[in-house]
Amino acid sequence: MKKLIQEHRRKFGEFEVIDFVDEKEVERLRDHIRVDAPISVNWTWEYGSEVEELRKLYEKGKVNQWNAETDVDWDRPLTNDEFILNPRASLLASLCQMMGKDEATQKAAMFDEINYVLCQLLHGEQAALQLCGQLTNVCEKMDEKWYASSQVIDEARHVEVFSKLMQRKFGTIYPIGGTLKILLDELLTADSVQKKTLGMQTLFEGMAVGIMDMMRSESQNELLTDVLRRVEQDEARHAAFGVLMMRRVVSEAEPEQMEEMEDWAFSILEALNANQQLDMLRLFGPKYGFDPELVVKMVTALPNFAEFNSLAYMHTVIPNLKNLGLITERTEGDWRRLGMLTDKRMTAEEIGTILN
Ligand SMILES: [Fe+2]
Ligand SMILES: [Fe+2]
């Protein structure tokens, strides 16, 4: 199967990682601001509703709007003097604890890690905003255009709420990682509405919901919990749109098209998984005194690596792909081998003991 980002792959023991060692190369990727994307504009003269469920979703979207500036109580504190999550949920806090660092350092390390992860979600939200804007053009039916436009305002609000959270509380907006920039550009430049919907609504929103939901369930900070809960409520509508659209797509697809979508979905998530947070670990390794390569080697060599690693994947995206028929016997073994698909899920308590 075709693998993306071949030129940055290295073997860490049994595991093949994508590792951007040269920061200049990542800067070049970030500087690629103007991206040419093929977009077709579709007029329609059918103004009546054709897809009832989509119309319902659009109506739901209208009544469930919220205001990121006035509905969120921004006076609530969020600082690195507290464990903003349960310590077991933070890789960096666990590492610092393992290395015998004091609690203040563990708190600061967790704060940095969550700041970094939320910034990657923020950049992903910007991609979702741009992609939904594209969908208002490329979709053929009026119901789809109306729904997509309502998601545009949702995604704008997500960019707003996460960027304000970074500016007002965390204090830093970390730039996008190299792997994520390449993968988001892959979706934004995809030439079909099928790939755009599969890529954004099923793959990336599925991953984002998994990460946000895991973070919210371990959150110990009111403001963070509130922001994540609000964004997740919107994402539930987006996921429903993804499922409705993709069900139609797969029901009309020929076997070769199904295979192509299956391979494409795999190649995107395989590349995401291959990064193993190396971008983040490289950034904070010097500050907290750990070797980023060693951390990834240690984690990927754990006997229960798959159970731990698959949590974010098994949360939403893998079940959805399976339901759509986009994980078949042909590829299931590969998903399992790379620790993205498992039968057993780890409990929160088990996660806490993984590095000890
Ligand atoms: Fe979003
Ligand atoms: Fe979304």
Side-chain angles (χ1 to χ4, degrees):
M1 219 172 294
K2 184 189 146 211
K3 279 186 178 170
L4 299 170
I5 323 180
Q6 284 286 4
E7 60 286 11
H8 293 285
R9 287 178 180 262
R10 301 164 62 195
K11 276 273 193 183
F12 278 13
E14 290 289 291
F15 198 87
E16 187 180 86
V17 294
I18 291 177
D19 189 9
F20 284 88
V21 184
D22 181 7
E23 186 55 25
K24 283 213 177 66
E25 166 106 42
V26 184
E27 271 167 32
R28 269 196 296 278
L29 283 166
R30 284 180 199 131
D31 287 344
H32 188 202
I33 293 287
R34 212 203 106 115
V35 178
D36 290 325
I39 285 287
S40 59
V41 176
N42 277 288
W43 284 92
T44 170
W45 310 122
E46 178 53 66
Y47 289 99
S49 178
E50 295 176 272
V51 193
E52 199 195 327
E53 296 144 305
L54 271 185
R55 184 61 63 99
K56 277 194 192 141
L57 216 50
Y58 170 71
E59 290 296 332
K60 239 190 201 168
K62 278 195 288 185
V63 294
N64 289 322
Q65 295 290 309
W66 49 280
N67 185 326
E69 184 56 45
T70 54
D71 287 334
V72 175
D73 175 5
W74 290 102
D75 288 336
R76 288 173 292 187
L78 191 159
T79 69
N80 64 3
D81 283 338
E82 54 175 324
F83 278 119
I84 48 181
L85 305 186
N86 188 320
R88 69 185 173 205
S90 159
L91 175 62
L92 293 199
S94 305
L95 279 173
C96 286
Q97 192 199 28
M98 208 173 75
M99 295 186 297
K101 309 229 181 222
D102 61 16
E103 233 181 64
T105 311
Q106 295 171 34
K107 286 174 183 167
M110 172 191 292
F111 186 86
D112 283 346
E113 176 183 349
I114 303 309
N115 189 353
Y116 186 90
V117 172
L118 289 173
C119 284
Q120 303 311 305
L121 287 171
L122 164 65
H123 303 309
E125 297 289 357
Q126 185 188 158
L129 168 64
Q130 316 224 53
L131 194 132
C132 287
Q134 295 181 342
L135 288 182
T136 62
N137 285 267
V138 294
C139 283
E140 289 170 5
K141 294 189 185 344
M142 193 51 80
D143 293 305
E144 297 166 342
K145 290 180 189 295
W146 284 14
Y147 170 78
S149 72
S150 77
Q151 193 173 332
V152 169
I153 185 63
D154 290 347
E155 303 300 1
R157 185 169 55 245
H158 299 170
V159 176
E160 179 191 354
V161 79
F162 281 128
S163 62
K164 284 180 172 169
L165 186 64
M166 297 311 123
Q167 287 156 344
R168 293 173 181 178
K169 302 294 173 179
F170 283 93
T172 310
I173 295 187
Y174 290 107
I176 192 166
T179 310
L180 187 60
K181 174 66 165 64
I182 290 176
L183 296 180
L184 292 175
D185 277 347
E186 173 89 13
L187 308 193
L188 287 164
T189 57
D191 53 8
S192 68
V193 63
Q194 288 85 348
K195 269 190 180 171
K196 285 186 191 299
T197 315
L198 172 61
M200 185 51 74
Q201 261 82 6
T202 307
L203 303 181
F204 274 88
E205 298 203 295
M207 278 310 286
V209 163
I211 294 165
M212 285 192 259
D213 204 43
M214 285 160 62
M215 198 184 278
R216 187 175 53 86
S217 66
E218 298 289 336
S219 172
Q220 301 185 147
N221 177 279
E222 256 186 58
L223 175 61
L224 181 64
T225 307
D226 185 30
V227 167
L228 290 171
R229 182 186 57 82
R230 288 174 181 279
V231 173
E232 274 182 61
Q233 267 176 2
D234 294 341
E235 295 301 345
R237 283 196 303 280
H238 306 173
F241 172 67
V243 171
L244 286 177
M245 287 287 282
M246 285 311 298
R247 260 196 221 140
R248 235 176 43 225
V249 168
V250 298
S251 71
E252 291 163 6
E254 301 290 331
E256 316 85 76
Q257 291 170 314
M258 286 296 284
E259 274 195 14
E260 196 194 321
M261 284 191 280
E262 183 174 358
D263 290 350
W264 192 69
F266 178 81
S267 67
I268 299 275
L269 291 188
E270 187 276 334
L272 196 68
N273 185 54
N275 187 241
Q276 285 296 316
Q277 305 207 71
L278 260 166
D279 299 344
M280 186 270 288
L281 293 166
R282 286 211 175 277
L283 186 65
F284 297 122
K287 183 170 176 184
Y288 295 105
F290 59 80
D291 176 344
E293 292 190 17
L294 220 60
V295 172
V296 174
K297 281 177 188 158
M298 177 182 75
V299 170
T300 52
L302 287 168
N304 46 8
F305 165 70
E307 283 164 40
F308 166 72
N309 185 69
S310 62
L311 285 167
Y313 296 89
M314 291 300 292
H315 186 284
T316 303
V317 68
I318 296 281
N320 284 350
L321 285 172
K322 272 201 150 180
N323 284 337
L324 289 167
L326 294 176
I327 294 180
T328 63
E329 265 175 34
R330 187 171 64 84
T331 56
E332 186 168 330
D334 292 327
W335 291 96
R336 283 184 188 278
R337 190 170 45 78
L338 295 167
M340 292 186 276
L341 195 160
T342 44
D343 301 318
K344 185 177 177 292
R345 288 178 70 170
M346 212 173 232
T347 64
E349 285 68 31
E350 285 172 315
I351 295 168
T353 60
I354 193 165
L355 290 178
N356 298 327

